[in-house]
Amino acid sequence: MALVGDRLRIRVDAPIRVRFQTDGDETMKHPWALLAVACAAAAGPALAETTLCTEIASLPATITAQGTYCLHGHLATALSVGNAIEIATNNVTIDCNDHKIGGLAAGPGTQAYGIHATGRSNVTIRHCSLRGFKAGINLEGGGYHVVEDSRFDNNTWVGIRVDGGGSAIRRNVVSDTGGWGTGSRGIIAIGGVDVIDNAVGNVFADLDGGNTGVIGIQVADPLGAAVTGNRIRGLVPDTSGTLTGIISIGSGPVDINDNVIQAAAGASDFGVNCSSGGGTARDNTFLGFSAADASVNCVESGSLVPPP
């Protein structure tokens, strides 16, 4: 804070905390105190660690009671099969507080999942970093799940897989996914799952000549789901495989809009493929695709396809 001429210049480099006191305290009458309050309000609320929770302190772990669970530090496991965290009940929230759940020690042949549930409802996972698993998160069945504000890297098959209507996958970063033999995906969403504002980068095949394709985001039986605001780049198929930015398979309509998809695409590679039928593609941007292959099997409007 400095006085320059008749102007006050203020620089805020960190969140400001202001303690309010009552019972006749004169603090709030001082102009500098009022200025501090104004600065704190302008800076917005600070992110706080979730502490009203049951700590997950070691791996593997199984959750059998409803409630909120959290991490207070990084965790890792060499588990090559099974699940680092198994959710065995409904109505569970896991908040990793931006800590890591790591499985790299199991090696590239791992069959383990980071966080897994089967047939559960109302599972929320946030602020996690999952790396080194076959799938970072695999929620099979049930519904009404949320996976948000998390990071996934160095998983061999898929970063996030959610199967269950009424669910959302939003504001995640999925990177460096691949190496598993039958094709890699950044995100898989099944049965009416909205996929919103995610960044998917560097999805690659095993590169062994086995005709393995890669997909940035795959939705199946979308039931009117929205795939919107996502950014997909760096898709690398096998030597004779294909790449697709976003694909809809199975049955049911899907709305694919306002996504940016970049790849070094060939003649058999697609930006968006609405193969489930009834899909719309609106206002997407395709970088590196031909006009003929940018959007296929979709009702198309307003997309941008610059020359590759």
Side-chain angles (χ1 to χ4, degrees):
M1 183 182 307
L3 187 63
V4 180
D6 58 353
R7 297 183 181 181
L8 185 66
R9 179 175 295 172
I10 304 169
R11 179 176 177 180
V12 178
D13 292 315
I16 298 174
R17 292 184 178 179
V18 178
R19 172 177 289 181
F20 294 90
Q21 297 182 348
T22 58
D23 298 328
D25 190 346
E26 297 294 320
T27 301
M28 292 306 298
K29 294 183 180 180
H30 197 287
W32 296 116
L34 294 174
L35 179 60
V37 172
C39 291
L47 294 177
E49 181 172 301
T50 297
T51 57
L52 298 177
C53 56
T54 300
E55 182 183 4
I56 300 172
S58 62
L59 300 175
T62 300
I63 295 173
T64 58
Q66 300 180 14
T68 299
Y69 294 78
C70 61
L71 271 63
H72 294 322
H74 299 312
L75 296 177
T77 177
L79 192 73
S80 61
V81 294
N83 311 299
I85 298 176
E86 173 70 19
I87 300 172
T89 188
N90 302 326
N91 306 312
V92 168
T93 294
I94 296 177
D95 190 330
C96 295
N97 287 316
D98 292 323
H99 295 300
K100 175 192 71 178
I101 299 173
L104 286 173
T110 183
Q111 296 293 308
Y113 299 139
I115 299 176
H116 177 262
T118 300
R120 303 302 170 184
S121 298
N122 300 316
V123 171
T124 297
I125 300 167
R126 60 169 61 105
H127 305 146
C128 292
S129 178
L130 288 119
R131 60 191 325 223
F133 298 97
K134 181 179 178 181
I137 289 176
N138 188 9
L139 304 181
E140 302 184 75
Y144 309 104
H145 307 307
V146 175
V147 178
E148 63 184 5
D149 301 318
S150 295
R151 294 169 290 174
F152 304 81
D153 70 272
N154 289 283
N155 299 295
T156 61
W157 170 43
V158 63
I160 307 168
R161 182 184 184 275
V162 174
D163 175 0
S167 300
I169 301 170
R170 60 196 183 199
R171 301 188 305 274
N172 301 286
V173 177
V174 181
S175 58
D176 299 330
T177 306
W180 197 62
T182 61
S184 306
R185 282 88 173 103
I187 295 173
I188 298 176
I190 304 172
V193 179
D194 292 327
V195 184
I196 304 170
D197 293 338
N198 301 281
V200 177
N202 193 29
V203 181
F204 59 93
D206 56 9
L207 304 178
D208 65 355
N211 192 30
T212 304
V214 298
I215 297 172
I217 296 175
Q218 175 179 306
V219 294
D221 301 325
L223 306 176
V227 182
T228 181
N230 301 284
R231 304 295 182 261
I232 301 170
R233 63 178 65 85
L235 305 177
V236 184
D238 208 336
T239 51
S240 56
T242 60
L243 65 87
T244 304
I246 300 172
I247 189 170
S248 174
I249 62 176
S251 61
V254 61
D255 184 18
I256 301 172
N257 71 86
D258 193 30
N259 302 281
V260 177
I261 303 169
Q262 180 276 328
S268 299
D269 300 325
F270 303 119
V272 168
N273 186 352
C274 300
S275 64
S276 63
T280 61
R282 302 181 291 110
D283 302 320
N284 299 289
T285 299
F286 301 97
L287 304 175
F289 293 86
S290 69
D293 294 330
S295 177
V296 296
N297 301 315
C298 305
V299 178
E300 170 64 51
S301 67
S303 292
L304 177 65
V305 189

